[in-house]
């Protein structure tokens, strides 16, 4: 389970990324205790940018160019998930959009005004894995959604 109850596919599909953070180190966890000892950290949070700055950044990310060849690459990758014999339910078109949008943001953060296939390949495991439902028999054979995405990237 991913939480108290497993989410239906339609709800999982609404999350852009799935990141596995793991547990903090000993020192990090002690620091968490220190920060929480007197005042809850949530009470000390301050904004780091204004709403106007956020909207400006969103506009700049949306202006990052995605070539037709990269769009085709994204769609072909996603369509592989729909044709894979190990997959019960492949990535939806919402997943294609999420991968493109994530790649635009990634390119922007790395100082580029355009997306390259490497951006798509780097982000695919985080954007696509939670959108794939692996068939039960494939799970019993040890297949995971992460492995299926890795195979899709290599094709």
């Amino acid at each position: 389970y991913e939480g108290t109850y497993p989410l239906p596919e339609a709800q999982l599909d609404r999350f852009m990324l799935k990141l596995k953070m793991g547990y903090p180190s000993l020192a990090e966890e002690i620091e968490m205790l220190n920060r929480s000892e007197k005042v809850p950290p949530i009470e000390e949070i301050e904004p780091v940018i204004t709403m106007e700055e956020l909207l400006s950044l969103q506009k700049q990310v949306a202006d990052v160019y995605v070539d037709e060849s990269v769009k085709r690459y994204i769609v072909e990758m996603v369509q592989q998930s729909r044709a894979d014999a190990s997959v019960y339910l492949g990535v939806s078109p919402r997943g294609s959009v999420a991968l493109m949008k994530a790649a635009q943001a990634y390119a922007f953060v790395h100082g580029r005004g355009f997306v390259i296939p490497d951006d798509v390949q780097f982000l695919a495991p985080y954007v696509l894995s939670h959108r794939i439902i692996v068939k039960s028999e494939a799970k019993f054979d040890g297949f995971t959604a992460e492995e299926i995405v890795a195979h899709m990237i290599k094709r």
Side-chain angles (χ1 to χ4, degrees):
Y1 279 11
E2 303 287 334
T4 306
Y5 301 103
L7 290 173
E9 302 85 45
Q11 288 182 5
L12 279 175
D13 200 30
R14 293 185 180 140
F15 290 91
M16 181 179 246
L17 302 165
K18 179 179 179 181
L19 302 174
K20 295 181 180 180
M21 296 178 59
Y23 290 108
S25 69
L26 177 78
E28 292 166 337
E29 196 159 353
I30 290 171
E31 179 59 25
M32 289 171 59
L33 295 178
N34 289 336
R35 288 182 182 186
S36 301
E37 190 172 3
K38 298 198 187 309
V39 179
I42 192 93
E43 292 180 13
E44 296 179 342
I45 293 177
E46 296 193 16
V48 293
I49 61 173
T50 65
M51 182 60 76
E52 293 77 23
E53 290 169 323
L54 175 62
L55 294 172
S56 173
L57 288 170
Q58 288 177 331
K59 169 83 173 86
Q60 291 175 63
V61 167
D63 289 340
V64 170
Y65 176 71
V66 185
D67 191 76
E68 289 300 315
S69 63
V70 176
K71 290 176 186 174
R72 181 178 196 83
Y73 177 60
I74 289 169
V75 172
E76 287 175 352
M77 182 184 298
V78 165
Q79 287 185 345
Q80 287 179 50
S81 75
R82 300 174 195 155
D84 192 302
S86 304
V87 174
Y88 172 72
L89 187 64
V91 177
S92 73
R94 185 182 281 160
S96 300
V97 172
L99 185 52
M100 182 185 74
K101 296 280 190 195
Q104 285 177 291
Y106 189 79
F108 177 79
V109 167
H110 286 85
R112 281 184 278 106
F114 56 91
V115 173
I116 59 175
D118 287 353
D119 299 334
V120 175
Q121 291 174 0
F122 175 78
L123 290 164
Y126 306 107
V127 176
L128 303 180
S129 295
H130 67 286
R131 300 169 191 274
I132 293 174
I133 307 296
V134 180
K135 288 182 178 176
S136 296
E137 55 270 21
K139 283 184 187 177
F140 292 133
D141 290 337
F143 286 98
T144 65
E146 290 81 6
E147 291 172 333
I148 292 167
V149 172
H151 188 261
M152 290 165 36
I153 292 168
K154 289 180 184 172
R155 287 186 186 170

